[in-house]
Amino acid sequence: MFYIEKLKLTNFRCYKDKRINFKPHVNIIVGENAVGKTSLVEAIYCLGLTKSYKASKDSFLIKHDQPFYVLEGEFVNQERKHNVLLSYEIDKSRKRLLVDNNVVKKLSDYIGTFKVVMFSPDDSELIKGYSPQRRRFLDIYLGQINNKYLKDLSNYNKVLKNRNELLKQTNQSEQDLELLKIYSEALVKYGKNLIIEREKFINMLNPEVAKISLAISNGEEKTELKYMPNVENEEFMLKTFRQLKKDLYLQTTGLGPHKDDFLFTIKGVDAASFASQGQQRTSSIALKLGLASLFDKLGLDNIVILDDVFSELDKERQNEIMKLFKNNKQIFITTTTIKAINEELLESSNVIKIEREEKDE
Ligand SMILES: Nc1ncnc2c1ncn2[C@@H]1O[C@H](COP(=O)(O)OP(=O)(O)OP(=O)(O)O)[C@@H](O)[C@H]1O
Ligand SMILES: [Mg+2]
């Protein structure tokens, strides 16, 4: 079994100094609006992913007018305890990660050690929003299960940056053009790995999402994913070289997985164009629950966080969701009222009440 047992937040979001203990199974975090429920689960996410899913800068995570934040988590994995400390200091722009008191130099080496699958109310935007959000989704979750993917991604992004810089120069020399050729080859090499892994991942995820979407919509609304690579693997090299003149003219790399996308269909119809708000919500929930189910299937222990999802699902659907999880799994559920939660679930859960006055103690 894998779970987080203890969490300490210092100057993180609305928390000045808070310690909190969790139970291995279901933890329900209850409190009024703006008391800090999301901040609490965001902290757990940050300990797993080394950054937030919503703050674009680490400085946003620091409590207002404070110089730093520190998060400390105690994880239990196969009965062994591990400490993770993540901190960020604003004046030095310094981020630090310590695992069992050892400094981790490259954060990407750590990603995937403690896996977290998180549903956030903003997830509905994944369906109708812009493609960068969907690529981010792929990178976050594929990155947690495949460290080589993260390395390929980092190399790809470096090459892309160099190539774009070179394309932006005016009057490239012979040497520059030679270098451009080398960059193009590297771009295709790393890019192909990304395309292969993304395709595999979506193919694995798809049946899980389909199954769960049916389970939470009375068998009515099947959600499926379709990978839309910007360029097919077999044509990537040829097209990149054919496109060179255009790239030089437009001063940017027009082709490659940095422009990939995937789309959602509900009952076979494109969800971005036709899905109602409720349908978007159901599909985005199915996406994250499908992920957790895939991780489980692959034998990859993970913590599931459901921020503000249960309160909007009727008790029957909550039941359907809980049936999807194995018993030996840690799940966090946030809600403003426990009245909305299925009684049976409530009885077997650890309920954590967050009070308003606690946050500024
Ligand atoms: N960096 C920060 N410093 C101080 N306070 C912050 C910071 N970031 C967010 N907050 C505040 O923390 C409070 C708690 O926010 P949070 O999103 O955790 O609430 P919540 O309990 O999830 O509320 P809701 O039920 O509305 O989702 C809010 O008042 C928010 O404005
Ligand atoms: Mg919230």
Side-chain angles (χ1 to χ4, degrees):
M1 165 120 204
F2 164 59
Y3 61 97
I4 180 167
E5 193 167 47
K6 291 178 185 163
L7 174 66
K8 183 172 182 237
L9 310 96
T10 312
N11 296 337
F12 184 87
R13 295 280 196 194
C14 56
Y15 293 100
K16 178 149 185 44
D17 182 21
K18 184 162 177 78
R19 286 164 192 269
I20 190 157
N21 292 342
F22 303 117
K23 291 273 162 65
H25 303 287
V26 181
N27 292 270
I28 298 179
I29 298 165
V30 199
E32 288 169 26
N33 290 122
V35 292
K37 301 179 299 298
T38 298
S39 305
L40 198 66
V41 288
E42 186 182 21
I44 298 171
Y45 180 97
C46 286
L47 284 171
L49 273 298
T50 75
K51 59 178 169 221
S52 168
Y53 58 96
K54 64 177 191 183
S56 52
K57 289 183 185 153
D58 271 291
S59 56
F60 296 166
L61 300 172
I62 302 176
K63 188 171 167 60
H64 297 320
D65 306 320
Q66 298 294 324
F68 65 88
Y69 79 72
V70 183
L71 290 176
E72 292 167 77
E74 196 172 293
F75 289 86
V76 180
N77 196 9
Q78 319 284 3
E79 291 172 24
R80 286 213 185 150
K81 291 192 179 189
H82 297 279
N83 297 305
V84 181
L85 184 150
L86 182 71
S87 70
Y88 181 77
E89 288 164 81
I90 198 156
D91 58 344
K92 295 185 194 131
S93 305
R94 189 168 71 158
K95 189 149 155 177
R96 273 158 66 87
L97 175 70
L98 277 83
V99 178
D100 295 329
N101 304 318
N102 298 314
V103 176
V104 179
K105 288 209 185 83
K106 250 177 98 187
L107 298 186
S108 60
D109 289 341
Y110 165 78
I111 307 276
T113 308
F114 299 122
K115 296 175 190 63
V116 178
V117 175
M118 167 140 192
F119 173 85
S120 139
D122 305 333
D123 276 7
S124 303
E125 282 173 35
L126 268 173
I127 292 160
K128 286 202 179 178
Y130 296 107
S131 63
Q133 297 181 40
R134 286 181 290 276
R135 285 194 293 275
R136 228 179 109 223
F137 162 84
L138 287 177
D139 296 342
I140 289 170
Y141 289 100
L142 182 46
Q144 287 192 75
I145 63 176
N146 184 341
N147 209 268
K148 175 163 182 303
Y149 175 85
L150 275 187
K151 296 208 166 73
D152 284 329
L153 182 67
S154 149
N155 285 324
Y156 181 85
N157 286 334
K158 270 183 222 151
V159 175
L160 181 65
K161 190 165 165 266
N162 290 337
R163 190 176 188 272
N164 284 342
E165 272 167 17
L166 200 54
L167 288 168
K168 279 192 180 60
Q169 281 180 22
T170 40
N171 297 323
Q172 284 89 353
S173 63
E174 273 298 305
Q175 218 178 351
D176 287 341
L177 291 174
E178 199 52 41
L179 191 56
L180 210 49
K181 209 177 123 192
I182 292 168
Y183 285 158
S184 302
E185 276 165 3
L187 189 85
V188 173
K189 180 181 129 196
Y190 295 122
K192 276 188 165 186
N193 293 342
L194 299 184
I195 298 167
I196 292 169
E197 291 306 326
R198 285 175 179 177
E199 175 150 37
K200 261 204 263 175
F201 180 64
I202 288 177
N203 284 340
M204 285 193 296
L205 183 55
N206 214 0
E208 304 303 317
V209 175
K211 186 180 75 191
I212 288 169
S213 61
L214 286 170
I216 59 174
S217 66
N218 302 323
E220 276 170 25
E221 288 171 358
K222 182 162 152 189
T223 296
E224 286 171 290
L225 312 174
K226 189 169 187 295
Y227 181 38
M228 309 289 279
N230 174 252
V231 56
E232 297 291 336
N233 237 342
E234 307 76 50
E235 301 176 328
F236 195 6
M237 186 70 94
L238 186 71
K239 281 194 170 169
T240 295
F241 280 91
R242 243 193 231 155
Q243 152 116 358
L244 191 59
K245 264 198 185 142
K246 193 173 164 192
D247 279 358
L248 277 164
Y249 177 72
L250 294 173
Q251 302 190 324
T252 185
T253 303
L255 213 67
H258 59 289
K259 299 207 164 167
D260 272 0
D261 203 351
F262 67 92
L263 59 81
F264 293 80
T265 61
I266 301 175
K267 293 198 270 191
V269 177
D270 176 27
S273 314
F274 299 106
S276 73
Q277 254 168 337
Q279 285 176 320
Q280 284 176 62
R281 195 171 164 82
T282 312
S283 291
S284 60
I285 295 168
L287 179 72
K288 291 296 171 67
L289 297 178
L291 257 177
S293 166
L294 175 64
F295 279 28
D296 287 352
K297 228 180 187 174
L298 297 171
L300 306 169
D301 288 330
N302 61 94
I303 292 171
V304 172
I305 300 173
L306 305 171
D307 187 18
D308 238 348
V309 56
F310 264 49
S311 35
E312 286 190 33
L313 290 170
D314 60 40
K315 293 185 178 175
E316 210 170 297
R317 283 185 193 187
Q318 292 178 11
N319 252 343
E320 290 303 317
I321 288 180
M322 292 316 293
K323 273 194 241 156
L324 298 165
F325 292 118
K326 299 183 296 180
N327 279 330
N328 57 344
K329 188 177 186 67
Q330 192 177 36
I331 301 173
F332 290 89
I333 295 168
T334 71
T335 180
T336 46
T337 162
I338 50 171
K339 282 192 207 119
I341 306 282
N342 181 298
E343 294 74 20
E344 222 177 296
L345 174 62
L346 204 56
E347 256 170 49
S348 59
S349 301
N350 176 39
V351 177
I352 300 166
K353 286 203 183 76
I354 307 208
E355 310 282 345
R356 193 166 292 277
E357 59 273 14
E358 267 186 49
K359 67 178 191 181
D360 266 319
E361 66 202 15

